Amino acid sequence: MNTLKKSHTMLVAILLLLVSTSCRLLAQSSGIPTPSQFLKFEVGADRQLADYKQITSYFNELAKVSKRIEVEVLGPTTLGNDMIMAVISSEENLRNKTKYREISRKLADPRGLSQKEIQDLVDQGKAIVLVSCNIHSTEIGSTQMILEWAYSLVTAQDAETKRRLENVILLIMPSLNPDGQLMEVEWYRRWVGTKYEGGRSPFLYHPYTGHDDNRDWYMLTQKETKAVTKAVFHEWYPQVWLDEHQMGSTGPRIFTPPYTNPVAENVHPLIWRIVDHIGTMMAWRLEEQRKSGVIYGAMYDTYWPGATEQTAMWKNIVGLLTEVASTRMGTPVEISPGELSGSTKGLVEYRQQANFPNPWPGGVWRVRDIMDYERTASDALLEACTKHREDILSGIAMMAMDAVKLGAPGEYHRIAVEQRDPASAAHLAFLMQENGVEVLYSTSDKAYYIPTAQPYGRFVKEMLSVQRYPKVKLVAGPNIVPPYDMTAWSLPLIMGVSVEKVKISKDEQSNLRGLKDSDWPQGEVTDAGASRFIVSHESNGVSKLINTVLAQKGSVSVTGASFKAGGREFPSGSVVVENVKDIKGLATKYSLDIAGLSEKPNVKMDKVGEFKLGMYKPWVASMDEGWTRWVLEQYGFSLKSISTKDMKEQKLSTEYDVIVIPDVTKEVIIEGKRKPEEGDMKYFVDFPPEYSGGIGKDGVKNLKDFVEQGGTLIALASACDFVTDEFNVPVVNVLARAKSDEFNCPGSLLRINIAPNHPVTYGMPGEVPGFVNQRIAFQTTPPASEMTRSVLAWYPNESEDILMSGWILGAEKLQRRAAAVALTYGKGKIVLFGFRVQHRAQTEGTFKLLFNAIHWGAMGKN
């Protein structure tokens, strides 16, 4: 019997080999080159990487010679490269792709359909499956694997592949960050054969966001996220989305779902069941292929809705993540058994356990290994979606209708246009629409209405509600599983927008219609014939107005006290502009209500002069530097990046009026190296000499001279410790030495009081939700006569009043502590922001503090 089994096994292996060989010969005879033939090097070989342009060229070649693939351009990237998506399926499915997209759309929103109509769509439809790669540009393996996978799918003639392509329409995005993929491959190639081979680049691998490009999937600030969101939630409506990543080198070889705790309350339970099934199929096939080191139920949770496939889960899409152990780009790594470690949620020790039954023993790990693991997982995805096509399609419709039922007829989230910042209110409404949410507008009361009863109702609830991190425990006792990332993302709070839940009658509902571009608030000008105009400082758009008028060589002043004019009360900080071109056009563009003035206000006014703005750009790439640069550019600030060399050598006072230091540590600023956590290895992989080092003592002195001679220095978050340690100022961070078990706030919205009538706080309400994710709280003391200090913002007196959304440990340590401080220093000024006023371009409610600080530095100039 054993002999017969062995003979049968050998016969099957021989037949598979013959089929594989014949398929390759058929592909070659049909003129379809393999990736290696097309690129003229062995894909997957050590130190050989295809860049994004080569990848797109190959996909375009496949589309020319095969009827199983089409290539769509989703739009331009930040740097102007084409962002492509390949569509792979049977010839018949591609001929009828418009039909299948429409079926997918109807299943995603089946309102008005009978159960029979839904079932008919399920019977006719195809599973639309999206696989996205390489959002993090150094996670390079999937971009290489996808070439071979696409080739196999368009050339294979075996019955199983044909069956999969008949049941599935596969969408492949070879890179969610094409600019970064090109940048990282170029950097890698430059240093191959040197001691810096495989080392980190000193540049952000997305022009603005770097690694945070995977943190933009509900705010949609970047071109890449916008393009993908349009394709997914407005055009294709896939039911399943796999995002392929890489992780560290010294743990498991691959993570596949199921995920670990905590789970998100507002994700439909069926999502978790489908995720678990597909993830288990991946692990099963990997084990069959003798791929050791497969783990599930560890490390990665889906509590936070801000990442690619995770955001989609709140919109009834099955979101899957794989994470494969990394190499040094194309360079292999050799891992000793003693270097393998767990020390993470779900794998405390690196050893065999239920969710990790076959640990990898160590050895050499190559790009080819990454590709093989990812290919096996990707094939398993197709297999599962083919077998369960009908279940998945019917499940999508079921989850959509369940979401509708969670809402109530006539119940809406109402966003009034008329509030402190009409443009931010409009941005919230239009942002929800861009996310695929149904948003309506009422012309009768000038408000946006978001129905709670809609297919994306779970997403709506998640985005518009306050968060409370769940107390998940691994064992009985007081300790909970700490958060992995942010714990608060309530859009009304972070954007400074008032949203109310209302119930309206059917008559009132009849006044609602779909949202149009013309529903954005237009602004207006009264007394447009005047030569002088005034506007309240409450809207963020006022900062755009100031920068535009200065660029026009007009005049800008800020009132130091409140006053009345034309029957209106104008608060302190109101902005007066003169010699303005097209004031009506600016009011419309920036959604501002501007009033003409017949005479100059009879109060003290500070003139805002033209200014030169710089921001430090360290060699250790800073995501906050990129995000801050992006925010400032959107609001019309013209700025220059200041290199480490310039910080040390330039006469800063002649080049700049205001310098911003982004959220980077003192060690990065001075030494050019990150400070290791206590107990961590101090080993640091050097950059090439021309890209290494910090500003050192010379740079510190140069920066002090800049401020003493009249410049303004603005420090963001962790950069504040650099200022308080190196400048002689009466401010100290009382949490600088706090341990994580004493104080922990990984990303929450905290209540912060704002001081009125300071140039940095003009236009701000008396209380704001501030985003806090670090151990920073200031204690000040009265200074000597040579300087002044102003506490701009502080935490409440009672610890129970501090948390607004998210999670915090040790809130009492913030009681009455300062959150932002302004000082004079010599002839100059210093502003310290201990909380994240511009976090990931999301916290619109506190942007103004940064903008005002810059304009304060320009007061009295020229």
Side-chain angles (χ1 to χ4, degrees):
M1 191 70 172
N2 288 336
T3 304
L4 286 173
K5 283 185 177 180
K6 289 181 180 178
S7 299
H8 176 72
T9 303
M10 289 180 64
L11 180 59
V12 170
I14 291 169
L15 287 172
L16 288 173
L17 178 62
L18 289 172
V19 169
S20 176
T21 303
S22 64
C23 288
R24 285 198 301 270
L25 291 173
L26 181 61
Q28 291 168 7
S29 66
S30 64
I32 302 180
T34 67
S36 296
Q37 289 169 339
F38 182 81
L39 297 174
K40 296 181 171 53
F41 63 81
E42 184 184 347
V43 174
D46 293 350
R47 299 174 177 82
Q48 296 287 345
L49 296 176
D51 65 35
Y52 186 74
K53 289 184 177 178
Q54 292 172 312
I55 292 166
T56 55
S57 294
Y58 184 66
F59 273 99
N60 286 327
E61 178 66 18
L62 289 180
K64 287 180 184 177
V65 297
S66 173
K67 294 182 180 180
R68 290 186 184 176
I69 179 172
E70 296 178 0
V71 174
E72 296 183 1
V73 176
L74 302 183
T77 65
T78 300
L79 297 183
N81 291 296
D82 282 343
M83 190 170 193
I84 70 161
M85 179 176 74
V87 185
I88 298 177
S89 194
S90 68
E91 294 181 27
E92 183 181 354
N93 287 350
L94 291 184
R95 280 196 301 270
N96 295 290
K97 68 177 183 180
T98 301
K99 168 187 171 182
Y100 294 121
R101 280 169 51 163
E102 181 61 13
I103 289 174
S104 193
R105 183 192 68 79
K106 288 180 177 179
L107 291 173
D109 184 0
R111 287 177 293 179
L113 299 178
S114 68
Q115 191 57 48
K116 182 181 183 305
E117 289 171 324
I118 291 173
Q119 187 58 51
D120 288 342
L121 292 174
V122 169
D123 293 340
Q124 298 173 49
K126 308 298 178 184
I128 299 180
V129 178
L130 170 61
V131 175
S132 55
C133 307
N134 188 235
I135 190 167
H136 295 146
S137 302
T138 53
E139 298 170 12
I140 202 73
S142 60
T143 65
Q144 313 300 296
M145 178 278 293
I146 215 75
L147 295 167
E148 296 183 342
W149 195 34
Y151 170 79
S152 174
L153 291 171
V154 303
T155 60
Q157 298 300 319
D158 61 284
E160 178 58 24
T161 299
K162 288 182 177 181
R163 188 171 77 92
R164 293 177 183 181
L165 296 182
E166 287 167 2
N167 284 275
V168 173
I169 297 175
L170 176 64
L171 311 179
I172 292 177
M173 297 181 184
S175 176
L176 292 180
N177 181 14
D179 299 339
Q181 203 272 0
L182 284 165
M183 185 187 308
E184 288 295 333
V185 173
E186 179 185 354
W187 178 263
Y188 175 73
R189 288 170 176 170
R190 178 179 175 184
W191 300 104
V192 166
T194 75
K195 64 180 283 190
Y196 306 110
E197 178 181 318
R200 292 178 299 117
S201 162
F203 308 106
L204 289 174
Y205 55 56
H206 179 281
Y208 292 111
T209 69
H211 195 81
D212 267 355
D213 57 358
N214 199 30
R215 308 292 188 268
D216 191 43
W217 291 88
Y218 54 76
M219 208 66 193
L220 308 181
T221 66
Q222 302 302 306
K223 289 184 177 180
E224 295 81 4
T225 8
K226 286 177 174 290
V228 174
T229 295
K230 181 182 178 185
V232 173
F233 302 112
H234 295 272
E235 295 174 350
W236 278 96
Y237 306 94
Q239 293 85 34
V240 180
W241 185 348
L242 167 62
D243 196 33
E244 301 197 343
H245 284 249
Q246 289 173 213
M247 56 184 174
S249 302
T250 58
R253 295 301 89 188
I254 185 172
F255 163 84
T256 68
Y259 300 102
T260 187
N261 285 313
V263 297
E265 177 185 355
N266 289 321
V267 172
H268 196 290
L270 185 59
I271 290 282
W272 305 120
R273 300 305 185 185
I274 302 174
V275 163
D276 293 357
H277 180 85
I278 297 175
T280 299
M281 179 64 75
M282 291 177 176
W284 183 355
R285 296 303 181 225
L286 284 159
E287 211 63 58
E288 278 188 340
Q289 295 292 321
R290 303 189 185 282
K291 304 296 185 188
S292 60
V294 182
I295 195 169
Y296 66 88
M299 302 178 284
Y300 300 101
D301 62 64
T302 52
Y303 176 70
W304 172 64
T308 45
E309 81 296 335
Q310 289 183 208
T311 305
M313 297 172 80
W314 278 259
K315 302 175 186 178
N316 310 317
I317 291 177
V318 178
L320 297 148
L321 168 74
T322 57
E323 295 267 359
V324 185
S326 292
T327 54
R328 289 170 59 83
M329 290 290 284
T331 301
V333 292
E334 184 173 1
I335 309 297
S336 168
E339 293 168 343
L340 291 165
S341 64
S343 304
T344 187
K345 183 166 57 176
L347 187 69
V348 177
E349 296 179 0
Y350 189 90
R351 61 181 181 83
Q352 186 182 37
Q353 56 187 47
N355 64 336
F356 190 49
N358 186 15
W360 184 66
V364 177
W365 186 251
R366 292 183 157 85
V367 168
R368 170 49 63 188
D369 296 312
I370 298 173
M371 294 167 63
D372 290 347
Y373 275 65
E374 287 177 331
R375 172 69 181 277
T376 300
S378 300
D379 279 330
L381 169 72
L382 277 190
E383 178 186 0
C385 292
T386 299
K387 287 181 178 179
H388 299 285
R389 178 189 64 82
E390 292 184 13
D391 293 329
I392 292 171
L393 295 184
S394 61
I396 296 301
M398 184 190 90
M399 290 187 287
M401 290 310 299
D402 284 353
V404 172
K405 294 172 186 175
L406 285 175
E411 185 179 66
Y412 295 83
H413 297 278
R414 181 179 181 273
I415 307 171
V417 174
E418 297 299 325
Q419 47 183 295
R420 290 184 63 87
D421 191 342
S424 286
H427 182 202
L428 175 54
F430 279 82
L431 174 62
M432 294 299 283
Q433 183 190 57
E434 190 174 7
N435 268 288
V437 170
E438 181 184 8
V439 182
L440 305 172
Y441 183 72
S442 171
T443 54
S444 62
D445 65 349
K446 292 186 177 180
Y448 309 106
Y449 285 81
I450 301 176
T452 61
Q454 62 170 297
Y456 289 178
R458 293 174 183 272
F459 178 77
V460 171
K461 181 180 179 181
E462 190 71 39
M463 290 294 104
L464 300 185
S465 300
V466 168
Q467 287 75 45
R468 282 293 181 267
Y469 184 74
K471 295 181 179 180
V472 176
K473 298 180 180 181
L474 296 178
V475 295
N479 296 329
I480 69 168
V481 176
Y484 171 74
D485 205 316
M486 292 170 55
T487 60
W489 43 84
S490 171
L491 292 181
L493 291 180
I494 64 176
M495 297 177 71
V497 175
S498 296
V499 179
E500 59 177 340
K501 188 180 282 188
V502 299
K503 290 205 75 170
I504 61 176
S505 67
K506 288 186 177 180
D507 287 343
E508 291 171 307
Q509 291 177 54
S510 67
N511 293 323
L512 302 180
R513 58 158 173 79
L515 189 62
K516 300 178 181 178
D517 290 344
S518 58
D519 298 328
W520 192 276
Q522 299 300 301
E524 61 181 10
V525 179
T526 56
D527 299 325
S531 60
R532 182 183 294 112
F533 301 91
I534 188 167
V535 61
S536 169
H537 212 316
E538 290 179 334
S539 170
N540 284 339
V542 173
S543 299
K544 295 181 179 180
L545 177 69
I546 292 172
N547 292 332
T548 301
V549 173
L550 290 175
Q552 292 179 355
K553 307 298 182 184
S555 172
V556 178
S557 298
V558 180
T559 63
S562 60
F563 72 100
K564 289 184 178 180
R568 288 179 59 185
E569 178 88 21
F570 290 95
S572 60
S574 294
V575 175
V576 177
V577 295
E578 301 178 64
N579 303 320
V580 183
K581 299 173 186 175
D582 190 18
I583 190 68
K584 287 185 177 180
L586 294 179
T588 299
K589 185 176 181 180
Y590 302 140
S591 304
L592 298 173
D593 290 336
I594 300 174
L597 289 176
S598 58
E599 58 185 29
K600 186 177 180 180
N602 187 27
V603 293
K604 176 182 177 295
M605 294 202 299
D606 293 306
K607 186 171 183 179
V608 181
E610 292 184 66
F611 58 92
K612 293 175 286 187
L613 172 64
M615 182 161 58
Y616 178 48
K617 189 174 186 178
W619 285 129
V620 177
S622 162
M623 290 177 283
D624 188 63
E625 182 274 329
W627 279 117
T628 306
R629 181 163 31 89
W630 188 86
V631 169
L632 292 174
E633 288 177 6
Q634 305 315 300
Y635 282 83
F637 288 90
S638 177
L639 74 157
K640 285 178 61 179
S641 294
I642 308 175
S643 70
T644 295
K645 182 175 185 292
D646 289 344
M647 273 290 212
K648 293 189 287 188
E649 299 178 3
Q650 269 189 345
K651 186 171 175 55
L652 298 173
S653 59
T654 63
E655 297 293 328
Y656 305 100
D657 299 300
V658 181
I659 292 176
V660 177
I661 304 182
D663 180 11
V664 291
T665 65
K666 173 184 174 181
E667 289 75 19
V668 167
I669 296 168
I670 296 178
E671 302 171 26
K673 296 180 180 180
R674 290 190 176 95
K675 181 182 179 181
E677 294 292 328
E678 187 174 341
D680 285 354
M681 189 177 293
K682 295 182 179 180
Y683 176 67
F684 181 86
V685 179
D686 286 327
F687 290 125
E690 60 267 44
Y691 302 104
S692 63
I695 69 173
K697 293 181 179 179
D698 291 341
V700 174
K701 182 181 183 305
N702 206 18
L703 204 51
K704 284 183 180 178
D705 290 345
F706 162 77
V707 180
E708 288 175 345
Q709 293 166 14
T712 296
L713 178 64
I714 302 170
L716 304 180
S718 58
C720 294
D721 284 343
F722 162 74
V723 176
T724 57
D725 289 353
E726 297 297 327
F727 289 63
N728 184 24
V729 293
V731 184
V732 64
N733 175 14
V734 296
L735 295 180
R737 291 179 174 80
K739 307 291 187 194
S740 60
D741 59 353
E742 298 171 331
F743 180 86
N744 192 358
C745 187
S748 298
L749 291 166
L750 307 185
R751 195 181 314 276
I752 295 177
N753 299 312
I754 302 293
N757 302 322
H758 188 283
V760 177
T761 62
Y762 284 155
M764 294 294 294
E767 177 185 291
V768 297
F771 188 88
V772 176
N773 65 349
Q774 296 178 53
R775 296 191 284 271
I776 303 173
F778 300 125
Q779 176 64 56
T780 62
T781 192
S785 58
E786 79 276 8
M787 70 170 63
T788 61
R789 64 88 190 87
S790 301
V791 175
L792 304 173
W794 64 95
Y795 296 102
N797 293 341
E798 303 297 330
S799 60
E800 57 267 26
D801 294 334
I802 291 175
L803 180 65
M804 298 184 74
S805 184
W807 179 82
I808 187 172
L809 172 68
E812 68 280 358
K813 296 185 181 299
L814 296 178
Q815 291 175 222
R816 300 173 58 233
R817 299 298 188 187
V821 181
L823 308 107
T824 59
Y825 190 92
K827 296 179 181 179
K829 305 162 185 171
I830 295 173
V831 181
L832 306 175
F833 291 118
F835 63 104
R836 302 263 295 155
V837 294
Q838 75 322 349
H839 177 73
R840 292 176 180 164
Q842 297 178 9
T843 52
E844 291 186 16
T846 53
F847 280 1
K848 183 179 297 297
L849 291 168
L850 174 59
F851 302 159
N852 285 353
I854 295 170
H855 288 144
W856 184 41
M859 290 181 183
K861 302 290 180 183
N862 300 46

